[in-house]
């Protein structure tokens, strides 16, 4: 197969690991002779975690992807920069500016200051991401799902009082321990996909759903008007990778999110939640972990062709093997249904 045009929908931490693996795989499978790849990879990133804090625009999932692909991420914490310091955040806390429980490291602040300066010059977020990414040879194109501000808020009840928290407050201050009654995408009605998104989906040879949070990462990307429709229309096979392994949320508190929308924390339930493309859903194929082999039959009979492969992304090589499996499944599906 000639070098494919691949679009990946991704959130932060799990998405970043997966995309690093995909990049490693395409560099090996379609090398360009200069250490890169002839494959064209576009990553459509979730922007629902984004917020204004201390006068700066923070974009957590885009930053997780940027830093991980640049190789400058803090692999221990899973977010932020390696070799970080926190002198400025100590000053902000002393002035009572920002959130004391939401640490903005010094290097990280460099990114937020640069982004905010470019936004204030009038650049749309997708152009800002292009400018910030140009500093490193990422090997993929990072694109926000939308240039519009659409923030995920969480409806909770704290001390018996209904409250509407920004996702980051729910996720970091409460560690998602306060039950979420619902997730809102504030401003989503008037949001549009970022300019590169729809053309990339229309021209894709393969679309992949990264093993990211199906509610507040993949779900929020799908919530941007026009994106779900473009997925249903694209000729490309759509293959998803389960973020749930053996009934437990691999990273973060995906189960707290799934519970809020009434979906069980299982690879089969999430596959069913995304739905079979043949039945108006998104998936032409679904990858589950070998520990979830038992669900393959159930999913197949629900119209979702499923393969069980090792899904723990404990290093780039493991992630690359998962990406390879997803692309192989896409090839098989394309061979079976030439229209896709
Ligand atoms: N996560 C934490 O658990 N604690 C923090 O103090 C924190 C600060 C932070 C600052 C900037 C940023 O881009 C991300 C940050 N995160 C922090 C991670 C963030 O909650 C996650 O990256 C995503 O929003 C969820 O996947």
């Amino acid at each position: 197969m000639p070098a494919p045009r691949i679009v990946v929908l991704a959130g932060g931490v799990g998405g970043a690991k997966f995309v690093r693996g995909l990049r490693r795989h395409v560099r090996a499978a379609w090398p360009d002779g200069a250490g890169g790849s002839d494959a064209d990879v576009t990553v459509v990133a979730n922007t629902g975690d984004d917020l204004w804090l201390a006068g700066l625009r923070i974009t957590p999932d885009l930053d997780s992807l940027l830093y991980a692909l640049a190789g400058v991420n803090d692999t221990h914490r899973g977010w932020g920069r390696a070799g970080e310091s926190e002198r400025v955040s100590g000053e902000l806390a002393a002035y009572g500016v920002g959130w004391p429980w939401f640490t903005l490291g010094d290097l990280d602040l460099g990114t937020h200051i640069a982004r905010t300066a470019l936004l204030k010059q009038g650049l749309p977020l997708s152009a800002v991401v292009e400018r910030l990414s140009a500093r490193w040879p990422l090997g993929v194109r990072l694109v926000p799902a939308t240039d519009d501000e659409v923030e995920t808020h969480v409806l909770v009840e704290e001390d018996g009082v209904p409250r509407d928290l920004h996702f980051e407050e729910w996720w970091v201050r409460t560690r998602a321990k306060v039950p979420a009654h619902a997730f809102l995408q504030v401003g989503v009605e008037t949001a549009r996909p970022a300019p590169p998104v729809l053309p990339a989906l229309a021209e894709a040879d393969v679309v992949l759903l990264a093993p990211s949070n199906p509610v507040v990462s993949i779900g929020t990307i799908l919530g941007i008007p026009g994106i779900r429709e473009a997925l249903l229309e694209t000729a490309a096979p759509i293959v998803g990778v389960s973020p749930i392994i053996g009934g437990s949320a691999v990273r973060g508190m995906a189960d707290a999110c799934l519970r809020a929308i009434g979906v069980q924390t299982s690879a089969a339930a999430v596959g069913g939640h995304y739905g079979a493309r043949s039945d108006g859903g998104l998936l032409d194929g679904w990858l589950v972990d070998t520990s979830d082999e038992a669900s393959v039959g159930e999913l197949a009979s629900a119209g979702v062709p499923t393969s069980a492969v090792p899904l723990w992304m404990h290093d780039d090589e493991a992630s690359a093997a998962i990406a390879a499996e997803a692309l192989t499944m896409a090839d098989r599906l394309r061979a079976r249904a030439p229209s896709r």
Side-chain angles (χ1 to χ4, degrees):
M1 166 183 187
R5 289 162 302 190
I6 304 167
V7 176
V8 195
L9 273 56
V13 181
K17 285 184 177 176
F18 179 72
V19 173
R20 276 183 60 93
L22 174 64
R23 179 179 65 179
R24 180 187 172 107
H25 171 64
V26 299
R27 282 176 170 170
W30 297 280
D32 65 359
S37 173
D38 290 328
D40 179 276
V41 178
T42 299
V43 182
V44 177
N46 170 47
T47 53
D49 302 1
D50 297 5
L51 72 158
W52 284 101
L53 194 65
L56 299 169
R57 190 68 181 162
I58 318 281
T59 62
D61 279 358
L62 276 164
D63 290 353
S64 288
L65 287 158
L66 175 67
Y67 294 159
L69 288 163
V72 297
N73 59 315
D74 179 329
T75 52
H76 173 67
R77 283 188 308 184
W79 51 272
R81 289 285 293 271
E84 186 57 282
S85 53
E86 295 169 12
R87 295 193 68 191
V88 177
S89 77
E91 291 298 288
L92 292 175
Y95 287 120
V97 170
W99 285 333
W101 36 268
F102 194 80
T103 306
L104 296 174
D106 297 326
L107 298 178
D108 198 30
L109 279 164
T111 307
H112 307 320
I113 293 167
R115 173 182 310 110
T116 305
L118 293 170
L119 287 170
K120 292 211 180 301
Q121 285 172 21
L123 268 66
L125 180 60
S126 44
V128 172
V129 171
E130 203 174 335
R131 275 285 297 277
L132 299 179
S133 307
R135 175 179 170 186
W136 294 285
L138 300 185
V140 303
R141 182 184 323 118
L142 264 192
V143 179
T146 175
D147 283 341
D148 301 309
E149 292 183 14
V150 182
E151 298 179 4
T152 302
H153 284 214
V154 189
L155 290 187
V156 300
E157 214 170 275
E158 261 192 316
D159 313 322
V161 178
R163 290 193 62 194
D164 162 332
L165 302 181
H166 185 281
F167 171 77
E168 288 296 351
E169 179 167 2
W170 178 68
W171 190 258
V172 179
R173 182 172 65 74
T174 82
R175 309 308 294 166
K177 290 289 174 285
V178 176
H181 295 310
F183 294 97
L184 302 177
Q185 289 186 265
V186 179
V188 72
E189 306 73 26
T190 55
R192 289 144 302 159
V197 174
L198 298 187
L201 288 173
E203 292 150 22
D205 296 305
V206 194
V207 177
L208 303 175
L209 305 187
S212 297
N213 188 304
V215 182
V216 294
S217 292
I218 303 296
T220 41
I221 294 172
L222 297 173
I224 304 297
I227 292 187
R228 179 182 288 272
E229 294 77 359
L231 283 165
L232 295 177
E233 279 157 27
T234 181
I238 302 173
V239 175
V241 180
S242 176
I244 306 295
I245 292 182
S248 69
V250 173
R251 177 96 201 155
M253 284 69 92
D255 44 347
C257 301
L258 287 165
R259 196 174 307 125
I261 64 165
V263 175
Q264 260 194 350
T265 299
S266 75
V270 173
H273 172 60
Y274 285 144
R277 192 121 180 240
S278 53
D279 186 22
L282 292 173
L283 296 178
D284 288 302
W286 185 235
L287 290 186
V288 301
D289 185 65
T290 43
S291 63
D292 293 307
E293 180 105 41
S295 67
V296 171
E298 171 193 343
L299 280 152
S301 57
V304 182
T306 299
S307 292
V309 300
L311 286 190
W312 282 100
M313 298 189 289
H314 37 254
D315 59 20
D316 283 352
E317 204 169 336
S319 304
I322 298 167
E325 288 285 358
L327 293 181
T328 302
M329 177 179 256
D331 279 350
R332 268 207 314 271
L333 293 161
R334 189 186 291 103
R336 227 188 287 160
S339 66
R340 286 211 175 111

